[in-house]
Amino acid sequence: MDIKPWIAAARLRTLPLAFSSIILGTCLAASMGSYSITVFVLCLLTTLCYQVLSNYANDYGDGVKGTDADRVGEKRAVASGEISAASMKKAVWLFSILSFIFGTWLSIVATQGLPMIVTIGFVVLGLLAIVAAITYTVGRRAYGYSGLGDISVLIFFGIVGVVGSYFLQTNMLNWEVFLPATSVGLLAVGVLNLNNMRDIENDRAAGKRTLVVMMGLKGAKIYHGVLIILAFDCAFLYNALMDNSFWSNLYFISIPFLVANLFSVMRSFDAEDFDPLLKRLAITTLLFALTFGIGQVL
């Protein structure tokens, strides 16, 4: 079996985006004096499984619907015929099981000493993440075809990732942590928005009603600007409320890259123009998470 199509379908370039929330949540936990390398590693492994599951399910769902037939950018395995729909479906099942195993393991290890209801709650949350990853494009009522993908990304790439990893290491829940969690979530939504701007014509023809299809390209660009600005505002507000040190502003390093991304978006009109901007914003999101998190620890 040729493993190259499977590696390509896993879309490993999306991992920096997926890991950003775990890194930030862990740094925020460390800033509170609580840190567990075991929980951190399990969070990364669980997130890795979720991300590969999501990418495989997306490839399968769009492939069987014919959405990816003429897309720009990376070709999809099922749509191109490199991997059969039946084989991809088995891979979705495999990573669903792996995601459940690692998610449950993480929940049990990280909630030792807490009431059983907390452990059960995180196991249920993990199951919801699996369902969300699959039903984004799979099924007759795939929510990614109804403009709800942005909300899902905000919740799972931002709030659940950051707040969840923070809680699992501190066993505390502070409402202020939702602010940087929202920042990372909004930047992740920005990556999805770029993806949907690139695919607007293809999605419109296939009946995939993303927010970009609903708003049009001009509206999507304005929306993109709002996402970037709000992400920065949430981070700024967190530091203002926490009265942190000078180093908490270390994330300012990422601002020029965010501004450059925004200006590039405003000047882009063709699908080929948007494609390279996805990777840049994903890496910038990781840079933001690292610099913001490290700034809290220093």
Side-chain angles (χ1 to χ4, degrees):
M1 182 183 71
D2 187 3
I3 197 173
K4 290 183 179 179
W6 291 101
I7 295 175
R11 282 181 267 169
L12 299 182
R13 73 173 186 172
T14 61
L15 289 181
L17 190 65
F19 288 157
S20 294
S21 60
I22 305 303
I23 292 171
L24 179 55
T26 300
C27 286
L28 291 172
S31 72
M32 295 296 176
S34 181
Y35 175 81
S36 168
I37 185 65
T38 300
V39 173
F40 175 61
V41 171
L42 284 174
C43 282
L44 290 178
L45 289 172
T46 303
T47 301
L48 171 63
C49 290
Y50 283 145
Q51 188 61 34
V52 175
L53 166 63
S54 178
N55 290 335
Y56 280 171
N58 191 304
D59 195 303
Y60 172 79
D62 281 342
V64 298
K65 289 181 172 68
T67 308
D68 285 337
D70 301 308
R71 71 188 306 276
V72 174
E74 290 181 319
K75 62 180 179 180
R76 295 293 180 253
V78 173
S80 65
E82 290 188 337
I83 298 175
S84 68
S87 296
M88 186 62 79
K89 188 175 182 178
K90 292 177 182 177
V92 169
W93 274 107
L94 172 61
F95 275 90
S96 295
I97 294 170
L98 289 174
S99 297
F100 177 75
I101 291 173
F102 279 109
T104 302
W105 185 10
L106 168 63
S107 300
I108 293 172
V109 169
T111 59
Q112 289 182 6
L114 296 177
M116 180 61 70
I117 188 66
V118 177
T119 305
I120 295 174
F122 272 96
V123 172
V124 171
L125 187 61
L127 287 171
L128 290 175
I130 292 172
V131 172
I134 295 173
T135 57
Y136 178 67
T137 59
V138 177
R140 293 182 179 179
R141 297 184 178 181
Y143 64 88
Y145 282 68
S146 303
L148 298 176
D150 298 56
I151 296 175
S152 179
V153 168
L154 174 61
I155 292 173
F156 288 102
F157 279 78
I159 296 172
V160 171
V162 175
V163 179
S165 58
Y166 173 84
F167 178 85
L168 289 172
Q169 300 197 62
T170 63
N171 293 337
M172 296 188 301
L173 187 61
N174 301 322
W175 75 266
E176 293 91 348
V177 176
F178 282 84
L179 290 170
T182 301
S183 292
V184 170
L186 290 171
L187 293 177
V189 174
V191 175
L192 176 63
N193 190 51
L194 284 169
N195 179 85
N196 292 338
M197 280 194 278
R198 180 196 62 192
D199 296 343
I200 182 172
E201 296 301 333
N202 196 43
D203 287 344
R204 184 181 286 128
K208 187 175 182 180
R209 301 190 73 246
T210 62
L211 282 184
V212 174
V213 170
M214 296 178 189
M215 293 185 294
L217 196 57
K218 183 177 180 180
K221 289 183 178 183
I222 296 173
Y223 172 57
H224 194 77
V226 172
L227 292 172
I228 300 296
I229 293 170
L230 283 180
F232 175 80
D233 288 346
C234 287
F236 186 85
L237 181 57
Y238 177 83
N239 280 340
L241 290 172
M242 300 302 287
D243 193 25
N244 288 329
S245 69
F246 166 80
W247 290 108
S248 64
N249 297 313
L250 189 63
Y251 73 98
F252 277 34
I253 293 173
S254 65
I255 292 178
F257 298 99
L258 293 174
V259 172
N261 180 268
L262 185 56
F263 275 107
S264 295
V265 168
M266 296 304 171
R267 294 195 300 265
S268 298
F269 295 93
D270 298 324
E272 293 81 2
D273 298 331
F274 291 109
D275 191 55
L277 301 181
L278 276 80
K279 183 178 180 180
R280 295 177 197 171
L281 184 55
I283 294 175
T284 301
T285 301
L286 177 60
L287 174 65
F288 170 86
L290 283 169
T291 53
F292 190 92
I294 292 172
Q296 304 304 311
V297 176
L298 295 177

